[in-house]
Amino acid sequence: MIKIINNILRKFGYLICNYDTNARGVSGKELDFLIEHTPNGKIVMEIGCGYGQTTKRFADKGNIVYAIDPFLNEENSKKLMGKNVNKIAREFINNIKEKKVIYFPLKSFDTLFLFERLNLPKIDFLFIDGEHSYKALEIDTKWIDYVKKDGLIAFHDSSCEEVNKYLTEHIFPKYKFIGSMFSLFIFQK
C-alpha cells in the first residue's frame, strides 16, 4: 500500500518514505549522535521539525534555532502527516516554549527569500530533515550557501531512495564526510 501511495504522491512532487505518524523522527542513537556534533551557543537551522524533539535539543545547548516547517500553515501537511498533524503541531509548540527558537511556518524556499531580506547571520549547523524527495533536497540544500565555512550539515533519512541518490550525486563529492549513525549523515562545509 505504501508503495502505491508513494507512486501517486511522486506524480505530484511529494514522497513519503515509510512515514509513520506515530514515529518521533530521529531515533535515540541518531539523536545522540546529532546532538554530540551540534555546537553550543551558535546558530542552528532545522528544516523539517516534526514534533520538535531535535529543535528542543538544539536550543537546550544554548543555540539560537531557526526552525522551518510549514505544517502549521499547510493543507498538504495533513496529506503527508495524516490526521495526527494537529497533535504534532501542539507537541512542537510545547517543545519550543521558552526556547531561543525562531519559527518560520513556511516552506524552505519561501523562508530563504525572507532570510535574505532580513540579512540574518550565517548558520553554524544545518539539519535537513524535510520532505525527503530529490526535488525538495534541491531546494533545501540552497541553505548550504548560508552555512559558515567549516560549518556542519546533517541529513536525516538517507535510507530513503531519493535522499540517498541526492547525497551520492551532490553532497559526498563536494563536502567532507564527518560520520553517520543509521540514516543520519553529517558533513563539513
Side-chain angles (χ1 to χ4, degrees), residues 40-185:
N40 296 315
K42 301 289 184 176
I43 297 175
V44 173
M45 175 169 285
E46 180 179 20
I47 300 172
C49 305
Y51 288 92
Q53 72 171 3
T54 51
T55 317
K56 181 181 185 304
R57 295 283 299 273
F58 290 147
D60 286 345
K61 290 190 80 168
N63 293 304
I64 295 171
V65 182
Y66 300 137
I68 300 173
D69 201 313
F71 70 91
L72 293 182
N73 190 30
E74 181 75 24
E75 184 59 35
N76 285 333
S77 295
K78 289 186 181 177
K79 293 175 189 169
L80 292 171
M81 297 175 140
K83 62 184 177 187
N84 291 334
V85 71
N86 292 330
K87 177 184 173 193
I88 295 168
R90 278 192 307 276
E91 191 166 328
F92 172 76
I93 296 300
N94 284 333
N95 275 327
I96 67 168
K97 280 184 183 173
E98 300 178 25
K99 304 286 181 192
K100 293 180 182 176
V101 174
I102 300 168
Y103 172 57
F104 296 93
L106 304 168
K107 290 186 176 186
S108 179
F109 179 78
D110 298 325
T111 308
L112 187 62
F113 177 77
L114 183 60
F115 193 86
E116 289 173 349
R117 292 272 192 222
L118 295 173
N119 198 27
L120 295 170
K122 287 215 171 203
I123 303 159
D124 298 283
F125 188 92
L126 173 62
F127 178 47
I128 299 176
D129 189 15
E131 193 181 301
H132 308 120
S133 71
Y134 195 95
K135 182 178 168 182
L137 282 166
E138 288 177 321
I139 295 167
D140 292 345
T141 54
K142 290 182 187 302
W143 284 101
I144 294 173
D145 292 342
Y146 296 92
V147 174
K148 293 178 181 175
K149 183 181 182 296
D150 297 324
L152 297 178
I153 308 148
F155 294 86
H156 190 234
D157 294 320
S158 61
S159 58
C160 292
E161 182 182 333
E162 291 189 44
V163 175
N164 189 291
K165 182 178 181 194
Y166 190 87
L167 293 179
T168 302
E169 292 176 1
H170 299 282
I171 303 301
F172 273 103
K174 194 170 180 181
Y175 302 101
K176 179 182 176 185
F177 177 67
I178 299 298
S180 66
M181 177 64 66
F182 303 124
S183 71
L184 177 76
F185 284 70

